[in-house]
Structure formats: C-alpha cells, structure tokens
Amino acid sequence: MLRCLTKGPLLPRRRLLLVQPRHCASATSSAAAGGIAPAPAVKEAALEDDLVEESHSCLVRDTCRLLELRDSWNAKREAQLRHLIRVLSPPQVRAVLRARAERDARAAFEFFRWADRQWKYRHAPEVFDEMLALLSRTRLHDPARRVMRLMIRRGMRRGPHQFAHLMLSYSRAGKLRSAMRVLQLMQKDGCEPDISICNVAVNVLVVAGRVDKALEFAERMRRIGVDPDVVTYNCLIKGLCGARRIIDALEMIGSMLQNGCPPDKVSYFTVMSFLCKEKRVEEVQNLLERMRNDAGLFPDQVTYNMLIHVLAKHGHADEALRFLRESERKRFRVDEVGYSAIVHSFCLNGRMAEAKEIVSEMISKGCRPDVVTYSAVVDGFCRIGELDQARKMMKHMYKNGCKPNTVTHTALLNGLCKVGKTSEAWELLNKSEEEWWTPNDITYSVVMHGFRREGKLKESCDVVVQMLQKGFFPTAVEINQLIHALCKEGKPAEAKDFMEQCQSKGCSINVVNFTTVIHGFSRQGDLESALSLLDDMYLTNRHPDVVTYTVVVDALGKKGKMKEATELVQKMLNRGILPTPVTYRTVIHRYCEKDKVEELLNLLDKMLARQEFSSAYNQVIEKLCAFGKLGEAYNLLSKVLRTASKRDAQTCHVLMESFLYRGLPLQSYNVACRMFQRNLIPDLELCQKVDSQLALAGETQAAGKLIIKFVERGILKQSV
C-alpha cells in the first residue's frame, strides 16, 4: 500500500535534502527570482514574442554571419564583431545565442564567453538566463556551472529558476548526484526552494529510475512547506508506471484527491498509456469510469485519440478499433490520423483484409485517406509479397486524387527487392523523374541491398555511384556490407577501389572499412597489398585498431613470415594499442604452428608487460599439445604451476592425456607429481589410467604411487 505524500510523516527522520528555507538576499520576490507564476508567465510570453521579432533584425543577422566565418577571422572582422556586440540590445544578444545553439550549444557558449570579455560590455541578467536555459537542453554541465559561478561572483540576481537549469544540465549528463547537490548550492546561496525547482528535482530522480528517492523527496517537500502540485504527482505517476508499479500509481491518483490536489487528464493518461501497452483494455475502461466519477473528468476526443494511437502503436489493432467504435458512438469525430494508426497496425500484423476495410470505411464516411494511410497499405502488401495488390492500391490512390510520394514508391521497391526482382526495382527508380517523384537515400539503399543479397555486386556498386551523384551518402555500415561481399567473392582489389571512390566523394569511411579490405587481401595471400593499405590508413588519419593488426599478424603467421609478424606486433605495442584475447590466441596459434616457441615466449613477455592475460601460457601449452610438441609444452609447465589455479589443473590434464595418447605414461606421471607438489589435485580417473599404463609398461617403481597419494589425502575414500 503506497503511503507516501499523505498528511502525516511516514519516512524516517534523516538529514533532509531541503532544509528550512531562507529568503534570498538578492531576490525579494518570486518574479525576480525567476519563479513560475501566472503573472510572470504572461511577461515571459511577451518577452518570447520580442525575441522572435529581434531574431529577424539586421544586427542579429550580421552578427550570426560573422560568427559563421569564425574559422577565417581576421582583425577587421573581429573589430566589426566588437562594434556589433556593443550596439546589440539584450534581446538581440539572446537571439544570437539561440541561433548559435540551434547548430552547436558549445559555439553559443564560446560566443557568450568571448563577448563578456570585451571592453565596455557586460551581459545583462536576461542574457545569463538565456545561456543557462540553452545549456539545460544539452549535456554541457560544465559550461552551465561556469555561467552560474560567474553570476554568483558578480552578485547578479539568482533564483530557483536559474538553479533548475543547472540541475537539468547535470541530469542530462547522467550525473545524478551532482544534479541533486545543486539544491545544497542554492541553499548556501540563500535562496529558498519553490515548487518549480522541486518539480525539476523530482523529475530528475524519476528519469534516473530512482522512484523511491523521488517519493521520499516529495514527502520532504511537504515538511518544509512546499506542497506538491499536479506536476509533482504526474512525475511520480510516470515513474511508478515506468517501474511497472501500476497499483501504486493508481493509489497515488487517489491520494491526490485526499490531499486537495485533484488529478488532471495527464495523470490518468499516463496510467492508461502503460495499460494500453500491455493490452489491459478492461482496466483502461475501469480507469475511464474512475476518471469520470472521482475527478469529474469526462473522456473527450483527445482521450480517445490517445488510446487509439497508443494501442495501435504497440500492435493492438483490434483493441484500438474497439475504442474507435466507442468514440464514434459518442459522436466524436475521428480524423484520418486515427484511422491511419489502425490501418498501419493491421498492415504490420499482415492483416490486409481488415486494413482495406478500414480504408473503404474512411472513404464511405467522407474521411479521405491521405498518402500516409495509402503508403501503409502498400507497404503491408509488399511485406506479404502481394505486389499486384500493392500496384492496384497505388492506382487506386491516383483515382482518388492522392499522389504516391517517396515513401510509397520506396515501399514498392522494397517489396520487389525482397522477392528477387531488384532489376525491376532499379528500372522503376531510374524512371522516377518521368513519374514525378524524387527518391531519397533510403530508396537507393533499398535497391543497393537488394542487388547485394542477389549477389549482383557490380549493379550494387552502380547504385551507390548514382546515389553519390544525386548527393546522397551511404552509411559506413552499408559501405562495409558491400565491401565484405566483394571480399567474400575474392575481389579485394575491387573492394579497395570502391572504398576509395566513396571516400573521394565525401563518404564517411572508418577503420572497420579498411580492416575489411585488409582482411580480404590477407585471405587471398596478398600480404603486400594488405601491408600497403595498413600504411595508407595513417596517411588518411584513420589509425588502425587492434583488430586490424590482428588480421595482418594472422596472415603473416599463416605464410610463415614470423619475423615480419613479430615486428608488426611490436609496432602495435609501441603505438599504445593493447592486445586483446583474440590477439593472444592468434599469436599463440601461429607461432606454435610454425614451431617458433622461443620467439613466442619473448613476444609474450612484451605483450604481457602491456596487457595482462592470465591464461596466456595455458594456451601455449595446450596449443603445443595439439601440434604434438610435448617436450616444449612440458618445459613450460613451471610457468603454469606458479598460480596453481583450476585453469592450470585443466592445462595439466591436457598435457597428461597427450602423453598417454603417445604412449608415454612416465611423463604423464611426472606431470601429476608436480601437480601434487603445488597442492593441485589431478583427476582421479586420469591418474588411474596413468597407473594402468605404467604397470603395462613395466614401470613398477612408479605404478601405484599416484593412488597412494590420493589415499594419503583421503580423496580416494570420498570418491568411493
């Protein structure tokens, strides 16, 4: 039973986050302190209108133009900007900051700092407020903290509203503890908390998933005289629903009525949305009744639109249609957006008959389906492979005065590609200008992937070339998929040419693309091209990673060029690139395969000095056993037995079994004895096999001694 936010104290008395409020020395009213109240809200709206008007002034445009040329600044342009900054009014400076922040909040902050350091100029208080508000929408908590510290140092007015912006910046950066410490900073500054910053704090805790802390904080608000309002409760309800505590959320709505803070529709909508996601329609109906009876809030068109959209979004088309019928019975008008949501949900589930019925119903009721509705139906038919029906629907669109757009045509092309008709899709794409529609980057990507799946890599590359000519750029992932396909077919040279062509056109080429081509050359044994491309990566400022080096080292080892492989690993280490477990396994495999144990041990010492790998020598011994080099493996046993772990025991068992397999029970016996010396207990069944082979080989002195060691330790009795 949820007992938070009632009149009585229910939480243990701990050190409160919010202490008894004190009046702010620099702000004598809530309006001056940036508090949220009806009158200041009207004033703020008027200021926003002025700001929009000032953003179109010549001074603001000239300032923004100069700032965009910052990379090519000279003394003359900087002097012009100094002159402009002195004649700009505070609303105009705010407009410049807002224009800069639309592209990059860091650039806005740099301009803010630069302007504040100019001679005979100081930012007005509202400019500081604007900078904090812009930074609160980003993760730039450090610039926000610096702005706040500058305000404190200059003795400018500060209130909960400004501190709330700083709290939001910390919250967006994932620094929950620092965000909550802003409250203590505000109290040390002498400002009393109000409902606005308390609501921000509650929301910060809820977004961070700390719902219990948010409930505790809301209770402490009441203790210091700040009564939670409907915004506070709605934040808590959202957090409870996110934590799947639906019963507690419903009890929270009940406590709102008891505490004299009646819930609004948002309170109920939050719970309804969660119930709709889980297809709990009966509970939604009960909550609608409760909303009407308890709070006097009657379901309206907005309510039903919300229910229809949430249910349809999560694939519950039948339930969404049920509420649509109910809203129609209550004479609410459902627009094409509501119908489209249900149509889209039916199409995603492959229920095209029901989707077509809804479209026909829309037309019969005078609600003309728009291009979004038709596009959903076309995509639905393409998903199930009924391309003829998709084409008929597009003709039906023209008949009803609705022209298919890029999304519609892309859906049809995607359907053609899925059934292996990519060539036909490519022809339709080339006829786009004749049919008056413009393909986008997704359209080209659909056709490109279609050719790639069909193995027509040349045609796929042609699509990318045309895509680049039209000004669209494939992603690095799409480029890598095509490069990988070319390399898989044994065409790494074509893959390299394709990658370089994309790079010359401005595409984003990353390390993974280079590594894929290098791997393609390595698989073909063309190590000269692989090493050349590895060097080219540094020239293009794309530094190879550990995967790239591992691929080349593996190829060199496979060809027996161990000296070159050793030099490449040392080069990797010198560049500060740490080896991974895959690197260790690759190096160990190739050096053991070529019987270069001494070189391997020297190289491992250098690698382990940079990056520890506890099972390195275990893998060396096991790999040597696999290649039949048991003498070298036995010589390394001391490196393994230093730690005497379970992993070491497994390695010893592998070595013992290898000796037994080659008819060398005495050497296997020696391994077991060395294990006993390090308090490692060998496998009993394996030791019994060793004793049996020792007896058969006539080794009477050693036969039976391993079993005696088990008896001495009491292990044999436990096993029996």
Side-chain angles (χ1 to χ4, degrees), residues 179-227:
M180 300 308 295
R181 283 176 181 168
V182 173
L183 292 170
Q184 298 176 3
L185 175 64
M186 183 183 70
Q187 292 161 6
K188 288 180 181 179
D189 196 46
C191 293
E192 62 181 60
D194 63 359
I195 189 63
S196 63
I197 194 167
C198 288
N199 285 340
V200 171
V202 170
N203 188 57
V204 164
L205 291 168
V206 167
V207 171
R210 308 291 290 275
V211 181
D212 291 328
K213 288 290 184 183
L215 292 168
E216 182 180 342
F217 185 90
E219 177 62 22
R220 291 175 180 177
M221 288 170 55
R222 187 185 298 282
R223 293 181 185 177
I224 65 167
V226 181
D227 291 330

Side-chain angles (χ1 to χ4, degrees), residues 29 93 97 480 605:
S29 68
V93 177
L97 287 174
N480 199 65
D605 290 339

Side-chain angles (χ1 to χ4, degrees), residues 470-628:
K470 296 292 185 180
F472 301 114
F473 296 96
T475 64
V477 176
E478 292 173 335
I479 293 172
N480 199 65
Q481 288 177 334
L482 196 50
I483 290 173
H484 178 72
L486 287 168
C487 292
K488 195 173 180 181
E489 287 198 354
K491 301 176 181 178
E494 294 183 18
K496 180 186 175 184
D497 293 340
F498 172 73
M499 182 182 69
E500 291 175 347
Q501 185 178 6
C502 291
Q503 187 176 359
S504 64
K505 297 293 185 180
C507 293
S508 177
I509 303 297
N510 57 23
V511 176
V512 178
N513 303 136
F514 277 95
T515 304
T516 305
V517 179
I518 289 173
H519 186 245
F521 281 122
S522 301
R523 289 178 61 183
Q524 278 200 328
D526 190 356
L527 297 180
E528 184 178 351
S529 299
L531 291 170
S532 175
L533 191 57
L534 184 66
D535 294 334
D536 291 344
M537 292 181 68
Y538 286 102
L539 298 177
T540 57
N541 202 24
R542 290 172 178 83
H543 301 293
D545 58 8
V546 64
V547 179
T548 315
Y549 279 106
T550 303
V551 167
V552 182
V553 168
D554 182 59
L556 289 169
K558 191 175 181 180
K559 287 288 186 178
K561 298 184 177 183
M562 310 313 298
K563 182 180 178 181
E564 291 84 350
T566 302
E567 292 175 354
L568 192 60
V569 173
Q570 291 177 348
K571 183 179 179 181
M572 178 188 77
L573 296 175
N574 293 336
R575 293 186 181 276
I577 301 173
L578 301 178
T580 64
V582 177
T583 312
Y584 276 103
R585 287 196 295 269
T586 302
V587 170
I588 290 169
H589 176 80
R590 292 306 178 191
Y591 278 78
C592 291
E593 181 184 34
K594 303 301 179 182
D595 199 13
K596 299 290 184 180
V597 180
E598 192 66 31
E599 293 87 340
L600 172 61
L601 296 178
N602 293 332
L603 188 58
L604 282 180
D605 290 339
K606 296 177 182 179
M607 294 172 66
L608 292 170
R610 298 294 184 90
Q611 181 69 34
E612 292 185 2
F613 187 57
S614 58
S615 64
Y617 291 107
N618 299 78
Q619 293 190 21
V620 173
I621 292 175
E622 292 168 6
K623 191 61 68 174
L624 288 171
C625 291
F627 288 118

Side-chain angles (χ1 to χ4, degrees), residues 9 76 82 112 258 269 292 341 379 382 488 599 636 665 699 706:
K76 181 180 179 181
R82 286 197 187 99
F112 175 86
Q258 297 175 5
F269 287 177
R292 180 171 54 249
D379 182 59
C382 292
K488 195 173 180 181
E599 293 87 340
L636 293 174
E699 300 287 347
L706 291 180

Side-chain angles (χ1 to χ4, degrees), residues 141 154 198 241-242 275 313 457 514 523 630 657 671 706:
H141 58 87
R154 293 185 180 176
C198 288
C241 290
L275 294 173
K313 180 181 178 181
L457 301 182
F514 277 95
R523 289 178 61 183
L630 303 184
E657 288 175 348
V671 174
L706 291 180

